[in-house]
Amino acid sequence: MRGIVGRKMTMVAALMATTGMAAAEDVEVLHWWTSGGEAAALNVLKDDLGTKSIGWVDMPVAGGGGEAAMTALRARVTAGNPPTAVQMLGFDILDWAGEGALGDLTDVAAAEGWDAVVPVALQGFSKYDGKWIAAPVNVHSTNWVWINKAALDATGLGEPTTWEELVAILDAMQAAGITPLAHGGQAWQDATVFDAVVLGLGTDFYKAAFIDLDPEALGGAQMAEAFDRLIKLSSYVDENFSGRDWNLASSMVINGEAGMQMMGDWAKGEFVNAGKVPGADFVCIRFPGTQGAVTFNSDQFAMFGVSGEGAVAAQGAMASAIMNPVFQSAFNVVKGSAPARTDVPNDAFDDCGKKAMADLAAANDSGTLFGSMAHGHAAPASVKNATYDVITAAFNGEYADGTAAAAALADAVAAAQ
Ligand code: GAL
């Protein structure tokens, strides 16, 4: 990695010498956006920074949900050599801020009025001790289902709005000989599905269990029902699901090999990147029973403490570029997410994007917008990881029933706090 960085710097320096350009600082960016749709979105950011003479040194760490990226980050910080800017989620941002590792973006934020345009729910993860420590680039949500339109039409059934209707469609797809549920058996993917299943049993229940970590909600009858539903869903995956990357599961739906995927709206980035059109080729719906509510996660770029005026200036310039409303539209149209500002027009977004923006605003107004447990916005990493273990064990049939899984979840969360 150092060799590549060194080579890139030399090339930039040589270019500047020949063109007489003012010295531009590079930013080294750690991220996990390596799928087709994610890479397309990342290019929007790279190109935008390029127009501002901010050089990009790429540090991709593949692995959906970012667990591997966070491990790589810890190693770099421990070695005393943090990257300039890091894609990060929710409580991880606050943890690093608590360790005093992050730079301060408050001057840029104040000059550009971020306080007035970034949703308050996001600000809870972008600020620490009253200071801006990260620039939010998007708002994703996890309670979506992506359905192959032809496969849905073949069932003769309409878009499902309840759990029972969903099960009827999954059964019909199974009878028609396609894999009903495209899924990758990785803990974060299992947990992403479970976010939606829990939310589908009620917003009060989601909040009590995953935000308030109420032991009775975590171990009670509703959680047992949630696990029974998850176990039911596990019966609709194909035999090769174990370990499959999420974007390969998206491809199965895109190609008509599978009926649907339950995944955050980064999946839409894959559909769009494959030239697919919402309404014609695929359908986006909220997970049945979660209409009117949203479990969100926001990718933010946290700036690590670096030395040198030029490096700090480049971080500020990158943060400013990320928060530009025109950029927020261009980026999120490709990424599948909604903008992280409330003042971005929805004109450029497709129907699913418009729905994402409208749902987010409505959930925010009605108090039904909650942080995603699977993606680090409901509880700190220790608790999140404890839920992963139980959810994955349940998905793989390791408990006798939902009641046993719920009891294990309450114990695991208690031990993790
Ligand atoms: C999420 C992240 C998304 C997307 C997804 C799959 O955690 O917020 O931007 O990258 O992981 O990799």
Side-chain angles (χ1 to χ4, degrees):
M1 176 54 68
R2 283 196 148 274
I4 296 170
V5 174
R7 234 179 6 256
K8 174 97 196 290
M9 295 252 195
T10 318
M11 279 162 50
V12 172
L15 182 71
M16 283 189 222
T18 51
T19 58
M21 268 161 60
E25 281 280 348
D26 282 357
V27 284
E28 186 190 10
V29 186
L30 193 166
H31 64 89
W32 63 92
W33 285 337
T34 56
S35 77
E38 289 174 331
L42 194 73
N43 280 336
V44 179
L45 176 58
K46 270 187 207 172
D47 292 350
D48 186 81
L49 297 185
T51 65
K52 298 171 175 70
S53 301
I54 304 168
W56 180 283
V57 180
D58 208 27
M59 186 181 172
V61 181
E67 254 185 303
M70 291 303 100
T71 305
L73 172 64
R74 176 65 63 186
R76 285 284 302 265
V77 177
T78 305
N81 176 31
T84 331
V86 180
Q87 178 195 354
M88 223 185 264
L89 296 172
F91 280 89
D92 289 341
I93 304 172
L94 303 180
D95 285 350
W96 281 109
E99 290 192 28
L102 301 186
D104 185 358
L105 299 171
T106 308
D107 286 350
V108 190
E112 299 184 353
W114 295 2
D115 278 286
V117 294
V118 174
V120 173
L122 266 59
Q123 289 192 29
F125 299 107
S126 321
K127 288 168 105 173
Y128 187 81
D129 266 354
K131 292 181 181 155
W132 281 86
I133 40 140
V137 68
N138 63 21
V139 192
H140 275 300
S141 53
T142 55
N143 58 317
W144 288 106
V145 186
W146 309 91
I147 313 179
N148 179 293
K149 175 87 166 57
L152 177 63
D153 291 348
T155 67
L157 301 167
E159 294 174 12
T161 59
T162 63
W163 170 254
E164 291 72 23
E165 288 174 9
L166 174 67
V167 168
I169 289 176
L170 290 163
D171 284 341
M173 288 174 168
Q174 197 148 48
I178 64 167
T179 299
L181 188 56
H183 183 70
Q186 296 174 345
W188 74 271
Q189 293 189 57
D190 302 337
T192 301
V193 174
F194 200 57
D195 267 4
V197 171
V198 171
L199 187 66
L201 287 164
T203 52
D204 289 347
F205 172 55
Y206 185 93
K207 180 174 178 299
F210 278 177
I211 307 292
D212 302 337
L213 305 180
D214 170 1
E216 298 198 350
L218 286 164
Q222 270 180 304
M223 191 57 81
E225 170 70 10
F227 276 114
D228 282 334
R229 289 185 176 190
L230 184 74
I231 292 164
K232 175 81 177 156
L233 290 176
S234 73
S235 71
Y236 295 109
V237 304
D238 68 319
E239 61 181 15
N240 298 320
F241 82 102
S242 187
R244 175 188 287 133
D245 286 332
W246 68 274
N247 53 314
L248 301 181
S250 303
S251 293
M252 291 169 68
V253 180
I254 290 169
N255 301 334
E257 266 172 74
M260 67 180 79
Q261 182 181 23
M262 296 161 181
M263 186 46 63
D265 41 15
W266 46 91
K268 199 194 74 183
E270 299 305 301
F271 283 82
V272 169
N273 194 47
K276 301 299 179 190
V277 178
D281 303 310
F282 69 97
V283 173
C284 57
I285 59 163
R286 289 295 172 182
F287 188 94
T290 72
Q291 300 88 333
V294 168
T295 38
F296 80 96
N297 61 300
S298 166
D299 292 301
Q300 309 213 19
F301 282 92
M303 306 298 169
F304 273 72
V306 287
S307 49
E309 254 177 54
V312 173
Q315 288 180 324
M318 179 176 175
S320 169
I322 285 171
M323 293 306 294
N324 179 292
V326 175
F327 166 76
Q328 288 259 339
S329 176
F331 176 87
N332 286 300
V333 159
V334 179
K335 186 69 171 69
S337 34
R341 310 176 51 120
T342 52
D343 60 347
V344 177
N346 71 358
D347 312 353
F349 289 78
D350 62 26
D351 288 350
C352 299
K354 287 189 168 76
K355 179 170 167 51
M357 291 170 75
D359 287 355
L360 186 64
N364 188 38
D365 288 348
S366 60
T368 54
L369 174 64
F370 303 106
S372 154
M373 174 57 89
H375 294 267
H377 283 69
S382 54
V383 170
K384 179 189 82 170
N385 291 334
T387 71
Y388 276 15
D389 290 346
V390 179
I391 294 164
T392 289
F395 198 92
N396 289 288
E398 290 176 28
Y399 299 108
D401 56 16
T403 304
L409 184 68
D411 287 350
V413 169
Q417 288 180 82

